[in-house]
Amino acid sequence: MKYLIWILMLFAAAVAMTTAAENPAYVLLVYPPYRIELSLMLFVILLLFTFVSGYGVVRVILAAMRLPASVHKFRHERAQAKARELLDQALGAYFEGRYGEAERAAAHAIELDEPSVLYPIVAARAAHELREYEKRDAYLSAIEDQSLHATTMRLIAAARFMLDQRDPHGALRALQDLRASGVRDYPGMLALELKAQQQAGNWDEVLDLLAQLEKRNAIDPTAATQLGQKAWLEKIRQQEDLAGIERCLKAMPVNFKWRSRIAATAAQATIRFGNCVIAQKLLTDSLNVYWDSELIALYGDCPSGDVVSQIEQAETWLNQHPNDAGLLLSLGKLCLHQKLWGKAQSYLEASLSVEPSHAAYNTLAQLAERLGKSDEAFKYYQSAVALK
């Protein structure tokens, strides 16, 4: 269709020129004392030539005026292309572990006066991996962009650097500055704070952050459970009195309270503070849910006010776990505490027949001493030392 229109226009121009050539009209230009007479066809041609020439001159002048801006734009686009190429090189080298090359490529991109915050961030991360901390900090300080995006990238990088250097308080300050800049909490930011609070030993904050991450499905359930258990264990160990342990146990979810390690740690703490009743209940509740041979061994170390009931409970468990050395040892200790010498000796010897242990020999030695059998007690102590 386009070619047909051009052909029609050429035919129209030819007809117009033929008609004009046969036209006897002329143009008379008078400027005293000059007088110029031109045919109409020649006048039209000259007029068109003048218009086209003038248009061309104007275009050349405008192009010359725009030349500096065009040159600047060309150079800027070329610098941008070079910077993007360098960024690709820097990122490729960084993820391949060639941190020196990554840092040099990013630094070269910065020299091109590119405003993107990516270049100094990549350079700082590479310098951090090379343990060149002064250069790393210089790259971060050189970031002039104060936009929210640039501030977020800079402070997140700074927080990661502080965590790698085991400076959780520095990381927490960076994250606090990030919140102050208007950034709302998001999973990556919460995960960084979780690591910082863990390093700082702020276990209440760790538990709060775990709850937030679990609510957003932003943490592996197994990892969350393991870290939650560690946090509760550390909280128990931080308590300085029995009231603190009781508050901790009251706040603790049941699924954690019954776990063997937590029950054992809490029971040992309450025994240390002189309350065997709480320890005995903790151990009983935990063992009824999760049987643990090491945990049952503690059961005999916390005789409560009703040792007979404890013995009955332990003998009930013995029907279910007849060959558990820890359970037999606990029964021996409880019977020893209740002065049931014969039963104590039977249970302790049964425990040794299943698995010889330092604790069982020591308890038998104590039993022999109470029965006035010094030589026998000495032999048991020797056997206990031999197992260490």
Side-chain angles (χ1 to χ4, degrees):
M1 186 67 183
K2 181 173 65 175
Y3 297 110
L4 178 61
I5 293 173
W6 275 105
I7 290 172
L8 291 174
M9 289 179 65
L10 286 173
F11 275 117
V15 172
M17 290 182 66
T18 302
T19 303
E22 295 177 356
N23 193 330
Y26 66 91
V27 176
L28 179 63
L29 302 175
V30 178
Y31 185 76
Y34 304 103
R35 179 188 179 90
I36 300 175
E37 185 176 323
L38 300 172
S39 67
L40 178 61
M41 181 63 181
L42 180 59
F43 178 76
V44 171
I45 292 173
L46 290 174
L47 187 62
L48 289 173
F49 177 76
T50 301
F51 174 77
V52 171
S53 299
Y55 178 76
V57 170
V58 171
R59 290 294 300 269
V60 170
I61 293 172
L62 291 175
M65 293 174 63
R66 289 195 296 264
L67 184 60
S70 299
V71 171
H72 177 75
K73 182 180 179 181
F74 171 75
R75 289 178 176 174
H76 180 64
E77 290 177 348
R78 186 172 63 179
Q80 280 187 322
K82 180 64 176 176
R84 284 193 292 269
E85 181 183 346
L86 288 168
L87 179 61
D88 289 341
Q89 293 177 11
L91 289 173
Y94 179 83
F95 289 115
E96 290 173 7
R98 296 181 283 112
Y99 302 118
E101 294 182 30
E103 191 265 335
R104 286 192 294 272
H108 189 186
I110 294 172
E111 292 172 359
L112 296 175
D113 292 329
E114 278 300 302
S116 175
V117 72
L118 284 174
Y119 307 114
I121 290 293
V122 173
R125 285 183 175 272
H128 176 76
E129 296 294 342
L130 295 170
R131 298 185 180 277
E132 296 180 355
Y133 300 134
E134 291 185 4
K135 291 178 68 175
R136 175 201 70 190
D137 296 338
Y139 284 128
L140 289 182
S141 300
I143 297 175
E144 297 179 355
D145 190 348
Q146 298 300 316
S147 66
L148 185 59
H149 172 67
T151 300
T152 300
M153 293 185 67
R154 177 175 57 81
L155 291 174
I156 287 293
R160 290 185 182 277
F161 297 155
M162 295 300 101
L163 286 175
D164 288 346
Q165 292 183 263
R166 309 295 296 182
D167 181 7
H169 300 291
L172 289 171
R173 285 194 297 271
L175 293 172
Q176 184 61 38
D177 291 342
L178 188 56
R179 286 194 178 91
S181 68
V183 176
R184 297 181 63 184
D185 290 339
Y186 58 90
M189 184 174 167
L190 293 175
L192 278 178
E193 185 177 0
L194 175 65
K195 188 174 181 180
Q197 298 290 9
Q198 187 180 351
Q199 286 187 9
N202 300 327
W203 302 109
D204 286 325
E205 287 76 7
V206 167
L207 291 168
D208 180 61
L209 289 165
L210 275 175
Q212 294 184 53
L213 288 168
E214 286 182 295
K215 185 177 180 180
R216 303 184 187 194
N217 294 321
I219 188 171
D220 178 72
T222 302
T225 300
Q226 291 175 347
L227 186 52
Q229 176 173 293
K230 180 179 180 181
W232 284 112
L233 281 171
E234 294 299 332
K235 277 178 62 67
I236 292 171
R237 290 168 182 155
Q238 287 177 348
Q239 304 309 313
E240 298 180 352
D241 53 31
L242 184 61
I245 293 177
E246 288 180 321
R247 285 194 300 270
C248 192
L249 291 172
K250 185 177 181 180
M252 188 184 302
V254 174
N255 62 316
F256 280 108
K257 192 183 300 184
W258 288 343
R259 288 180 172 269
S260 298
R261 287 189 62 191
I262 293 180
T265 302
Q268 288 169 339
T270 54
I271 291 171
R272 186 173 66 252
F273 291 121
N275 193 319
C276 287
V277 175
I278 295 177
Q280 183 262 335
K281 186 176 187 311
L282 272 171
L283 294 173
T284 301
D285 291 343
S286 178
L287 288 166
N288 281 329
V289 179
Y290 304 109
W291 184 259
D292 186 281
S293 295
E294 295 182 6
L295 189 62
I296 187 58
L298 283 174
Y299 190 75
D301 294 329
C302 56
S304 63
D306 188 359
V307 180
V308 174
S309 296
Q310 282 186 265
I311 294 173
E312 291 175 352
Q313 174 64 72
E315 288 176 338
T316 301
W317 286 329
L318 189 61
N319 293 328
Q320 303 167 9
H321 310 278
N323 295 316
D324 192 296
L327 176 55
L328 291 166
L329 172 61
S330 288
L331 274 166
K333 289 181 177 179
L334 291 171
C335 289
L336 177 63
H337 184 272
Q338 199 65 13
K339 299 180 181 180
L340 302 173
W341 313 126
K343 292 185 69 174
Q345 184 164 356
S346 297
Y347 283 130
L348 293 171
E349 289 175 348
S351 176
L352 288 172
S353 67
V354 175
E355 183 182 350
S357 67
H358 179 269
Y361 277 120
N362 263 342
T363 307
L364 272 172
Q366 294 171 16
L367 175 59
E369 284 181 338
R370 293 194 181 188
L371 295 175
K373 301 177 181 179
S374 301
D375 293 339
E376 191 174 335
F378 180 72
K379 291 179 182 178
Y380 285 133
Y381 279 129
Q382 282 185 318
S383 298
V385 171
L387 285 179
K388 275 198 169 183

